[in-house]
Amino acid sequence: MAEQLGFTIRQRDIRPLDFFLSLIDALAGDGNCDTQADLQRKFNELTGLNVSYHSWTNQAKKDALPTLVLWLWVQCLEIFSRKVMAFDEDSPFSEFEHILIQDGSSQAVYDALKEAFPGRFSTVSPAAVELHNPLLPPK
């Protein structure tokens, strides 16, 4: 995909996978990433290369970078959402219909019912019930 979008034109020391893994590590790491130079240093640290700041920023300023980052994000979401939402055929949960979205609304009831129906928002209403409305896929 990096080649198709124009992010990788020629094979260089800065490979797309290394570039993105270093970005993720730097941005989600210890929080000491304030500048592009920090990102470039993280790249060199992770890859063991000694890529110059100029070469690194030439990659970072490519027009294809935002599109490639978005594409990678969508790919990750697809992979992980399938694992979360999928059931094996032999799983007991495979008997149930899949719920795409679930919305829960809390409704206050008489305060005297707080023992039987304790509310989540006890400062507002000590007693409440919740109504969950699942959105099921079309049949």
Side-chain angles (χ1 to χ4, degrees):
M1 183 52 72
E3 288 177 11
Q4 290 177 2
L5 292 173
F7 184 78
T8 301
I9 299 168
R10 296 181 300 269
Q11 288 298 326
R12 300 283 188 176
D13 285 341
I14 303 175
R15 297 183 318 213
L17 181 60
D18 294 337
F19 185 85
F20 291 111
L21 291 176
S22 69
L23 286 179
I24 291 168
D25 187 50
L27 297 173
D30 57 10
N32 291 332
C33 182
D34 298 321
T35 65
Q36 282 189 355
D38 294 333
L39 296 173
Q40 180 259 344
R41 280 191 287 276
K42 179 58 82 171
F43 175 84
N44 284 339
E45 177 187 322
L46 289 175
T47 61
L49 299 172
N50 191 20
V51 173
S52 71
Y53 178 76
H54 179 72
S55 297
W56 188 90
T57 56
N58 281 343
Q59 289 294 100
K61 68 182 180 183
K62 286 184 176 177
D63 291 338
L65 179 61
T67 306
L68 189 54
V69 169
L70 178 61
W71 181 82
L72 287 168
W73 176 248
V74 169
Q75 297 305 308
C76 288
L77 289 178
E78 275 190 27
I79 290 167
F80 292 125
S81 66
R82 271 192 234 126
K83 287 182 181 177
V84 169
M85 297 177 70
F87 295 116
D88 293 331
E89 289 180 14
D90 57 340
S91 166
F93 294 109
S94 65
E95 298 294 321
F96 296 97
E97 292 183 36
H98 292 275
I99 297 174
L100 299 179
I101 298 174
Q102 180 172 324
D103 177 38
S105 299
S106 187
Q107 177 64 46
V109 294
Y110 292 109
D111 290 351
L113 296 172
K114 68 182 178 184
E115 296 298 321
F117 302 107
R120 288 187 302 161
F121 309 107
S122 58
T123 56
V124 176
S125 178
V129 293
E130 291 195 9
L131 175 65
H132 291 270
N133 300 308
L135 173 65
L136 300 174
K139 291 187 177 186

